[in-house]
Amino acid sequence: MGESVLLYILFAPFLGALGLIFVSNRQPLLVRSIAAGSAFVALLASIYLFYAYDPVKGGFQFIQKIEWSRQLGISLHLGVDGIGTPLVLASTILLFAGIFVSWHIKDRTKEFYIWLLILAAATIGVFMSLDLFFLYFFYEMSVIPMYLLLGMWGSHTKKYLEMTDSEGMKLRDSVGFIFNFGSNSKEYAAMKLVLFLSAFAVAALMGILLIYKYSGLNTFDILVLREQANLMNIPVLGTTLDKIIWILVFFGFASIAPLWPMHSWSPVGHAAAPAATSMLHAGVLMKLGHFSIIRVAFEILPETTRELMPIAAVLCMFSIIYGGFVAFYAKDTKYVIGYSSSSHMGYVFLGMAALNYISLSGAVIYMFAHALATGMLFAMAGWVYDQTHSRDIPSLGGLSNKMPFITACFMVACMASIGMPGTVNFIAEIMIVVGSWNKYPLQVIVAMLGIVLTLAYLFKMMRGLFYGPMNQKYSHAHDAVSTVDRLPLLIMIAISIGFGIFPTHLYDVVRSGVDPLIVRITEVVPVAQSGSDEGVQHTVSHSKIPLTSPIIADEVAATPLQISGGRE
Amino acid sequence: MIFSLNLSFSDLLLLLPEILLTCWLCLVIIVDFVSPRLPKEQLAYLSVAGLVLTLGCLAWFDIAHVSGALFGNMFVLDRMAIFFKVFILGATILVILSSVEYVNRFTLFRGEYYVLVVMSAIGMMFMASANDLLSVFVSLEFSTLGFYVLVSYLREDMASNEAGLKFFILGVFAAGLFAYGISLVYGETGQLVFSEMSSAQATPGLIIGFLLIFAALGFKIGAVPFHSWIPDTYHGAPTPVTAFLSIAPKGAALVILLRIFLVALASFKPVWVYLLVAVSILSMTYGNIVAIAQRNIKRLLAYSGIAQIGNVLIGLAAGTKMGSDAILFYLLAYLFANIGAFAVVIAVSHAIGRDEIEDYRGLNRRSPFLAFAMLLFLLSLAGVPPLAGFIGKLYIFVAAIKEGLYTLITVGLINIVISMYYYLIVVKQMYINEPIDPSPIRISGPMKAVIYVGLAGTLVIGIYPQPFTDWVVDATLMFSNFVTPSATAVPSPIHVGG
């Protein structure tokens, strides 16, 4: 392995998908083994990557650069930093688990695994791209498999999406309602997902093209652009260019995160998707949004990020509260988990918005933690649906007699989701809350409320599914007994608790990625005092030039000042 | 104009591909007459052999860097002409292979079908080399003549006859516009050769003349507002002819548009860029929005073709060398995806007998191969990575953004999303809906070959475009003189201090 480990992780699922094309659907075991085999290779390689990544050295490691198009200035430039590494690991874990979760799919098994592998490989590709073109390439590539997975193996959402409050009044997801043309079919969900994501993705593409044009460097390479591109102070349409680019990139990518009010495709998509797809969708696909914002907006436009990131701080409150309340009133298991995901993604935005070491590290760890927690929840919602063919919480109940193992795992997943000490979610949540308290106390209070809400709706769902009187219609339901069925859940639980108890390496890795980024964003380097042109210059490289805080730079005119921690 | 017919042998060499193909065409006609019992598919393979031979000849030209001009610059053989000749021959080969089975539907003149297809191809090859307005006119009409007959080849089918008539009347009208435009341009400048017009003054006559010429060529490529013949003609024509019509004449007309706009009118760029921006926006938006409402797959592809031409015109509006590179690249991607999609349509309609979008219900269960191929072709047309169409669109957008055409790019990006919708409607029928009649669909050998070539092209260009971008960059070297230096010269990499 060694240096080319990223290629193994990226191409193992692709090659697995390619190999599956030549296998007949009449050999389901062979199909499943090839899929599981390629996912296992990717998983092993990413575990190696995670532990071989050197947090002391930091920066981008395991770099691969293959020239792809000279005319357009594109190269397949792969590399991971402390932010990409845990997300790559989360993707491969969820892919591996997802393959086992969908072990019993009988209809067109081969095609299912082909699209699942392509979906996972594309998301992995985003997490390791150091080239704007390939970042977009993989990002857009992950959308079409979602369409087919939802459409072909998904299920209609039926009437589950109706919600009633305690007095029996009908409620509606008001924002979703605007875009909901009255259909609960899976085709509708799939089409909505593709059109929403594509529409916002082209906005991001416009931002990327503007970066390409105005940097004047004829390259899409993020590492070159972040060092050399000077996009500041170009007046356009009454504002400056960097702000326009930042808005395009931020909202373009935040739609997949999904940030309120661009979330309405997401819970519908979750509800219609088969279990493994929901896992990948909520677990890693949503993180493409945060990750791409960090990679593009934070890296290339650090000063604009500092200026405009409060937008995210405002919107994330709505995400948290709104998602939490809808999840509380929803009756469909997957709808609850879907909205809970979109609510929890608000925490990540809060962590990103506060822009300091602790909160941003917390956000990245939260992405990793949430992938596992929500993956577990969706896997079990999928299991319950497979057994009972119902996701309607009021009609279910008392399943703990029939499926004790699932009940126990569900309990753990709920705990993880809430952020119980002992799971990695706890560490992430506490970091986000502590890190953003100084800057955004109101948002932190809202986030706390969100945690309470999470507790409420998850326990409500748990009681609805597993306790109380049992519906005799579902007496044939049975527990996950075979190794194949238990393995994915056990893996995810083990990793979630494992990192919860021993977070040191994860923390070190994430910090090594977050620290230079925060330095870039919060510190501005003054120009050598020639007294001529612009006073404040774009950061070139934090390692070479002594760092000062921007306030100091303005007032004291470039007295070198060493900054050791955050600048609260 | 000095016109000399002192042709040496080496001059004739430049015409070798056309001469070779014309001789071969005569051979096909003779074989058809001499042995009427010969199965007609043998004639198809015979024509393909001739086309492949010509392709080989062009490949040799390309490697040996043969180039030159004949007849007082009326006929040029440059890198771009070679590119487009290869493009047209490739399209012709794929079309002939995909019509082997379809030809059995014709009641009469099955042998002549191949002759007419190859004849049109020869006309378009001349178009690729035409370097003055007269030779453009002659070769354009020569190639269209074959199409008039081909479109109405299904003699008993009213739709086909209607298509032929519509195409003929509007085509003749366009030819009239073209001729009138030529007369105006010649009257104003006294020149017919493109490269000698570049110093002309912008007089009203010249402007009207070129507008008329643009209208006639816009008719050929089917750009809005000259598109009205496209849906009915595409719908009624025999499907292989539709496939041919949807790609080869567009390529041949685009090479002329490139020569006119980037050579003859290079100095008027600030003026014509508005014309092209308007036509491009109209074509993309109209094509995509109307395509949503279509129930017939051929009409859907017709409207999507109008939208695709709008995309191509973005590259032309950029008006730089990179823009022309992007056009050539986009056409390559479009060739494989479009011919492939039509090949699937032919294969499905051979089994079902209809081409409504509804008939694609559950195609995935009936023929996974056809459904998968159609999926990739449609996604490539929509511009989804990692397929050829995505790189093509991106290439065009990059070329356009370097020229600052922000409105055009914004409209183009929005149109990608709109087009995604109707392509996915077909995908939904194929993959999500269950078939009414689950019997498997059989695909003939030549058909399979065409679809495999389309798939290979779509995937290879999308995943590894470097050799193709090198090729198109090489093909448009002639335009590097006409381009403002800022657009192509690489700026100094160190930009930070400034």
Side-chain angles (χ1 to χ4, degrees):
Chain A
M1 275 189 194
E3 276 302 300
S4 52
V5 61
L6 292 185
L7 294 179
Y8 288 91
I9 303 174
L10 180 58
F11 287 106
F14 275 131
L15 291 178
L18 196 65
L20 281 178
I21 291 176
F22 302 103
V23 182
S24 161
N25 241 334
R26 273 164 295 194
Q27 296 163 289
L29 193 65
L30 183 63
V31 168
R32 287 173 192 136
S33 329
I34 290 176
S38 58
F40 189 61
V41 171
L43 178 63
L44 280 187
S46 64
I47 292 173
Y48 169 82
L49 170 75
F50 184 69
Y51 284 101
Y53 181 86
D54 182 1
V56 179
K57 210 169 90 192
F60 290 99
Q61 299 182 15
F62 303 99
I63 286 178
Q64 297 286 323
K65 193 166 182 179
I66 302 158
E67 189 169 69
W68 196 72
S69 170
R70 273 189 301 279
Q71 284 79 25
L72 297 170
I74 299 166
S75 54
L76 179 58
H77 195 175
L78 302 175
V80 285
D81 63 350
I83 300 172
T85 312
L87 292 173
V88 169
L89 180 63
S91 313
T92 51
I93 292 168
L94 283 190
L95 171 65
F96 187 67
I99 281 172
F100 285 97
V101 166
S102 41
W103 200 256
H104 301 291
I105 281 187
K106 293 201 174 55
D107 176 33
R108 293 180 277 194
T109 321
K110 177 177 101 171
E111 280 94 335
F112 179 83
Y113 282 119
I114 289 177
W115 295 116
L116 193 70
L117 286 169
I118 290 178
L119 170 67
T123 53
I124 292 169
V126 175
F127 291 139
M128 47 177 75
S129 291
L130 290 182
D131 189 284
L132 284 177
F133 169 82
F134 271 102
L135 188 120
Y136 183 82
F137 183 92
F138 287 123
Y139 181 92
E140 189 62 27
M141 199 171 154
S142 66
V143 173
I144 292 299
M146 284 298 288
Y147 180 83
L148 293 165
L149 286 166
L150 255 71
M152 288 165 79
W153 296 276
S155 48
H156 295 300
T157 48
K158 296 174 194 141
K159 285 180 292 181
Y160 300 143
L161 296 191
E162 282 174 12
M163 288 171 281
T164 44
D165 66 5
S166 48
E167 277 107 43
M169 295 285 285
K170 277 208 173 162
L171 297 178
R172 270 207 159 110
D173 171 357
S174 57
V175 178
F177 177 67
I178 297 171
F179 297 106
N180 190 341
F181 301 106
S183 171
N184 291 325
S185 67
K186 59 185 181 181
E187 290 91 344
Y188 167 77
M191 188 66 93
K192 182 172 183 173
L193 182 144
V194 170
L195 292 185
F196 251 73
L197 293 186
S198 304
F200 284 101
V202 295
L205 180 60
M206 188 71 198
I208 290 173
L209 286 173
L210 286 172
I211 292 174
Y212 179 82
K213 151 112 179 156
Y214 280 96
S215 68
L217 299 169
N218 277 324
T219 180
F220 284 100
D221 197 312
I222 294 175
L223 295 189
V224 177
L225 285 170
R226 72 167 185 172
E227 300 298 336
Q228 298 180 7
N230 187 358
L231 303 162
M232 305 305 292
N233 302 323
I234 303 171
V236 182
L237 298 173
T239 172
T240 51
L241 178 79
D242 56 304
K243 289 202 179 101
I244 291 182
I245 296 179
W246 194 90
I247 294 281
L248 283 170
V249 168
F250 179 80
F251 284 99
F253 287 126
S255 66
I256 203 173
L259 185 63
W260 186 91
M262 298 172 285
H263 66 282
S264 82
W265 60 274
S266 155
V268 186
H270 282 306
T277 314
S278 297
M279 287 167 65
L280 276 173
H281 175 177
V284 289
L285 209 66
M286 284 182 171
K287 278 79 177 174
L288 295 186
H290 307 106
F291 180 82
S292 306
I293 290 169
I294 291 178
R295 231 344 97 74
V296 182
F298 281 32
E299 292 275 7
I300 297 176
L301 297 164
E303 292 164 41
T304 323
T305 303
R306 194 179 55 214
E307 216 172 315
L308 295 181
M309 207 54 195
I311 295 176
V314 174
L315 292 178
C316 77
M317 281 195 299
F318 292 96
S319 267
I320 295 172
I321 287 297
Y322 185 84
F325 272 110
V326 179
F328 185 76
Y329 285 114
K331 289 189 295 189
D332 176 332
T333 50
K334 282 192 168 178
Y335 208 49
V336 173
I337 307 170
Y339 260 109
S340 107
S341 295
S342 104
S343 156
H344 287 175
M345 287 302 99
Y347 298 145
V348 180
F349 274 112
L350 175 58
M352 283 163 65
L355 289 179
N356 68 52
Y357 302 91
I358 309 288
S359 71
L360 188 57
S361 311
V364 175
I365 298 178
Y366 198 87
M367 287 193 241
F368 179 79
H370 179 260
L372 297 168
T374 201
M376 284 187 268
L377 287 174
F378 271 119
M380 281 172 289
W383 178 269
V384 171
Y385 180 70
D386 284 346
Q387 294 302 317
T388 60
H389 296 287
S390 171
R391 299 197 305 260
D392 189 24
I393 298 175
S395 81
L396 292 162
L399 290 172
S400 62
N401 291 329
K402 292 287 174 188
M403 32 182 92
F405 177 77
I406 293 288
T407 311
C409 290
F410 201 88
M411 180 78 92
V412 177
C414 284
M415 293 302 160
S417 221
I418 294 156
M420 189 84 160
T423 60
V424 64
N425 301 57
F426 170 70
I427 297 158
E429 257 169 36
I430 209 84
M431 282 171 76
I432 292 175
V433 166
V434 169
S436 11
W437 175 252
N438 276 337
K439 207 164 179 184
Y440 297 117
L442 174 66
Q443 276 83 344
V444 170
I445 294 167
V446 167
M448 289 303 189
L449 191 62
I451 294 172
V452 176
L453 268 174
T454 311
L455 195 73
Y457 59 72
L458 283 180
F459 275 21
K460 186 180 164 213
M461 180 165 90
M462 177 133 177
R463 192 196 61 191
L465 287 182
F466 296 106
Y467 300 108
M470 177 149 169
N471 189 335
Q472 286 311 309
K473 220 165 68 178
Y474 304 125
S475 55
H476 61 274
H478 62 82
D479 201 5
V481 279
S482 67
T483 323
V484 165
D485 297 333
R486 288 188 172 188
L487 185 68
L489 296 175
L490 291 175
I491 289 176
M492 286 186 281
I493 289 174
I495 293 172
S496 185
I497 294 178
F499 280 118
I501 299 171
F502 305 105
T504 324
H505 186 67
L506 178 63
Y507 180 76
D508 287 346
V509 168
V510 170
R511 274 302 289 268
S512 75
V514 165
D515 286 6
L517 202 57
I518 291 293
V519 169
R520 279 176 62 76
I521 293 169
T522 52
E523 323 302 349
V524 177
V525 179
V527 143
Q529 291 297 303
S530 56
S532 57
D533 48 356
E534 314 104 90
V536 176
Q537 256 298 331
H538 178 63
T539 308
V540 177
S541 166
H542 68 272
S543 57
K544 290 173 195 152
I545 301 165
L547 308 163
T548 54
S549 92
I551 303 148
I552 307 285
D554 288 337
E555 290 170 358
V556 195
T559 318
L561 183 80
Q562 293 300 321
I563 301 289
S564 53
R567 52 176 208 88
E568 285 89 47
Chain B
M1 181 173 21
I2 304 143
F3 199 90
S4 96
L5 265 181
N6 293 332
L7 286 176
S8 67
F9 185 72
S10 64
D11 286 343
L12 277 181
L13 181 70
L14 299 180
L15 276 170
L16 182 64
E18 285 82 3
I19 294 173
L20 188 68
L21 199 56
T22 313
C23 295
W24 198 279
L25 184 68
C26 300
L27 177 75
V28 175
I29 298 175
I30 293 167
V31 170
D32 188 27
F33 281 134
V34 169
S35 50
R37 303 259 172 98
L38 187 76
K40 298 299 179 200
E41 60 195 69
Q42 301 297 337
L43 280 181
Y45 297 131
L46 188 68
S47 321
V48 168
L51 291 162
V52 170
L53 201 67
T54 320
L55 261 186
C57 174
L58 282 167
W60 169 55
F61 279 12
D62 200 40
I63 293 162
H65 289 270
V66 177
S67 62
L70 282 182
F71 313 127
N73 263 340
M74 283 177 87
F75 179 98
V76 290
L77 189 81
D78 49 15
R79 314 284 288 165
M80 196 169 73
I82 293 178
F83 174 89
F84 274 98
K85 284 177 189 183
V86 170
F87 178 81
I88 288 159
L89 286 175
T92 315
I93 291 173
L94 293 176
V95 165
I96 289 188
L97 284 178
S98 59
S99 34
V100 169
E101 211 173 33
Y102 198 92
V103 165
N104 295 328
R105 291 195 192 182
F106 304 145
T107 43
L108 283 169
F109 310 125
R110 289 179 193 166
E112 282 83 344
Y113 172 81
Y114 299 113
V115 174
L116 284 167
V117 169
V118 176
M119 197 183 97
S120 297
I122 294 173
M124 288 184 282
M125 284 171 72
F126 274 110
M127 276 168 88
S129 280
N131 195 36
D132 86 346
L133 287 171
L134 272 186
S135 57
V136 167
F137 183 73
V138 173
S139 51
L140 188 78
E141 291 315 304
F142 177 47
S143 72
T144 317
L145 188 65
F147 275 115
Y148 291 144
V149 186
L150 285 170
V151 166
S152 42
Y153 224 80
L154 289 166
R155 288 156 43 97
E156 275 86 39
D157 184 9
M158 285 304 285
S160 177
N161 286 324
E162 187 202 325
L165 196 63
K166 205 162 196 167
F167 184 42
F168 178 71
I169 291 172
L170 288 172
V172 170
F173 186 63
L177 290 182
F178 200 108
Y180 190 46
I182 293 173
S183 70
L184 282 175
V185 170
Y186 184 68
E188 291 291 335
T189 63
Q191 295 294 345
L192 286 171
V193 179
F194 295 143
S195 48
E196 288 161 18
M197 283 173 206
S198 45
S199 54
Q201 298 296 314
T203 54
L206 188 73
I207 294 170
I208 294 173
F210 271 112
L211 277 178
L212 290 174
I213 291 174
F214 178 70
L217 290 170
F219 170 84
K220 287 285 156 222
I221 57 175
V224 177
F226 317 109
H227 64 282
S228 58
W229 61 282
I230 293 240
D232 288 339
T233 306
Y234 278 31
H235 184 193
T239 316
V241 176
T242 311
F244 198 29
L245 205 54
S246 73
I247 185 83
K250 288 184 184 174
L254 272 164
V255 60
I256 292 168
L257 283 171
L258 280 172
R259 285 186 203 279
I260 288 182
F261 281 107
L262 295 190
V263 178
L265 301 179
S267 49
F268 299 118
K269 189 185 163 192
V271 183
W272 53 251
V273 73
Y274 293 106
L275 173 73
L276 289 176
V277 166
V279 173
S280 165
I281 289 180
L282 280 177
S283 302
M284 284 189 290
T285 316
Y286 177 84
N288 279 327
I289 289 179
V290 180
I292 291 174
Q294 300 309 313
R295 297 281 169 273
N296 181 293
I297 188 90
K298 281 164 83 178
R299 293 185 87 88
L300 182 118
L301 287 172
Y303 281 108
S304 109
I306 293 175
Q308 304 284 350
I309 276 300
N311 274 312
V312 171
L313 290 180
I314 297 179
L316 195 58
T320 54
K321 171 164 178 355
M322 194 179 192
S324 50
D325 296 346
I327 291 178
L328 266 56
F329 189 88
Y330 195 90
L331 282 174
L332 269 185
Y334 183 58
L335 166 75
F336 289 112
N338 212 40
I339 296 244
F342 273 111
V344 175
V345 173
I346 296 170
V348 171
S349 83
H350 186 72
I352 300 173
R354 276 154 37 99
D355 359 78
E356 301 303 306
I357 295 175
E358 272 173 23
D359 300 331
Y360 286 74
R361 276 186 86 91
L363 189 65
N364 178 242
R365 297 219 188 263
R366 303 185 66 178
S367 169
F369 171 68
L370 277 183
F372 181 69
M374 192 66 164
L375 172 74
L376 290 196
F377 294 142
L378 292 179
L379 292 183
S380 177
L381 288 176
V384 171
L387 305 169
F390 172 70
I391 318 290
K393 286 207 164 102
L394 191 96
Y395 208 151
I396 281 190
F397 289 147
V398 168
I401 201 151
K402 285 195 167 179
E403 293 302 302
L405 301 168
Y406 303 113
T407 322
L408 201 47
I409 295 173
T410 312
V411 174
L413 287 171
I414 293 169
N415 270 295
I416 290 185
V417 182
I418 302 176
S419 70
M420 201 83 102
Y421 175 75
Y422 61 81
Y423 290 126
L424 283 180
I425 291 285
V426 183
V427 173
K428 179 188 133 192
Q429 292 285 2
M430 293 192 302
Y431 274 88
I432 299 176
N433 292 355
E434 293 299 321
I436 298 167
D437 162 27
S439 62
I441 290 176
R442 227 172 263 283
I443 319 162
S444 70
M447 212 69 225
K448 234 178 193 162
V450 174
I451 295 174
Y452 273 123
V453 170
L455 279 179
T458 305
L459 282 169
V460 169
I461 295 179
I463 293 170
Y464 188 63
Q466 185 67 62
F468 301 93
T469 48
D470 283 346
W471 187 27
V472 298
V473 165
D474 200 32
T476 57
L477 275 181
M478 53 176 288
F479 293 136
S480 33
N481 312 332
F482 297 95
V483 175
T484 48
S486 65
T488 43
V490 180
S492 66
I494 308 301
H495 225 261
V496 185

